[in-house]
Amino acid sequence: MENRMATPMTRGEAAVVSTNKVIRNTYMLLAATLAFSAVVAGASLALQLPHPGLIITLVGYFGLLFLTTKFRNSGLGVLCVFALTGFMGYTLGPILSAYLSLPNGSMIVMQAMGGTAAIFLGLSAYALTTRKDFSFMGGFLMVGILVAFLAGLGAVFFNMPGLSLAVSAMFVLLMSGLILYETSNIIHGGETNYIMATVTLYVSIYNLFTSLLHLLGVFNND
């Protein structure tokens, strides 16, 4: 019987194995955090908890994001991800409560959920199957998100509904681009930390969903 010695993997093979591991871990953690966030949002909705407000939301989000980034290479990073997504789920509960109180609120929420799922799955599948490199979008997305974020704050502080609507439309486009960019980043080895990849995709999905809620609410005259 012929004896075959195991040969070490080439650098390219090792990179493929590492990339596949990051993809698998990212989507497993993303699924878990989305489920956890949905449970927290459901509890917040059922208990009719008040929205924490813009300042607490921003402090909580950026604070937990900082901790997640700091501990991204340890087990504490996973706990921080669940803390972050749970907090965002809590902030989503009062938003859903406001929409569900409308005459056709259930339809609006379901349409937003369906649209978010379709966009995320479609863009992820496209990036994974075509394996195109969307790294060129990085600079544009960074600037676009910053501009949209500042414009959103301006719309809140100065009570400008038209600007708020424009920001929601911008976020739909920007978050769609971010899904393509981050998925491509994982595939091509630009993102090797599945915790940070999960956070980026989760935030994209969250902002996409809330932006679609806003747009659909306006289109339904609510």
Side-chain angles (χ1 to χ4, degrees):
M1 184 175 180
E2 181 181 359
N3 293 324
R4 296 183 178 180
M5 296 181 63
T7 58
M9 289 189 296
T10 65
R11 182 176 300 178
E13 291 172 336
V16 170
V17 171
S18 177
T19 297
N20 290 338
K21 183 179 179 181
V22 173
I23 293 174
R24 182 177 65 254
N25 290 342
T26 296
Y27 283 101
M28 287 178 60
L29 183 58
L30 180 63
T33 53
L34 285 172
F36 178 66
S37 184
V39 170
V40 175
S44 176
L45 175 63
L47 297 173
Q48 294 294 302
L49 298 178
H51 194 277
L54 179 62
I55 301 300
I56 295 178
T57 298
L58 291 177
V59 171
Y61 169 72
F62 284 110
L64 290 170
L65 181 60
F66 170 79
L67 291 176
T68 302
T69 304
K70 181 178 180 179
F71 296 110
R72 64 186 180 276
N73 294 316
S74 68
L76 284 176
V78 176
L79 295 178
C80 290
V81 170
F82 278 98
L84 173 62
T85 56
F87 176 74
M88 298 307 291
Y90 160 63
T91 64
L92 186 60
I95 297 174
L96 291 176
S97 179
Y99 279 92
L100 290 174
S101 65
L102 300 173
N104 57 344
S106 297
M107 181 186 69
I108 294 174
V109 172
M110 293 303 296
Q111 287 176 340
M113 290 179 61
T116 301
I119 292 172
F120 175 74
L121 294 175
L123 293 177
S124 297
Y126 178 76
L128 288 169
T129 54
T130 63
R131 304 186 73 84
K132 288 185 177 181
D133 187 357
F134 292 97
S135 60
F136 65 90
M137 298 173 62
F140 167 77
L141 289 172
M142 182 181 299
V143 174
I145 291 172
L146 178 60
V147 171
F149 175 72
L150 294 177
L153 291 179
V156 171
F157 287 121
F158 297 105
N159 191 23
M160 302 172 65
L163 179 59
S164 180
L165 181 63
V167 169
S168 292
M170 288 176 62
F171 264 108
V172 169
L173 296 176
L174 289 168
M175 293 304 106
S176 298
L178 188 57
I179 291 169
L180 279 176
Y181 170 79
E182 187 63 17
T183 306
S184 170
N185 213 20
I186 298 170
I187 294 171
H188 296 285
E191 178 59 84
T192 59
N193 188 289
Y194 72 94
I195 289 178
M196 298 311 299
T198 298
V199 169
T200 301
L201 292 176
Y202 174 88
V203 171
S204 300
I205 293 171
Y206 181 95
N207 285 323
L208 182 59
F209 175 65
T210 54
S211 297
L212 285 175
L213 265 181
H214 185 199
L215 293 173
L216 289 170
V218 172
F219 294 152
N220 284 273
N221 297 320
D222 293 317

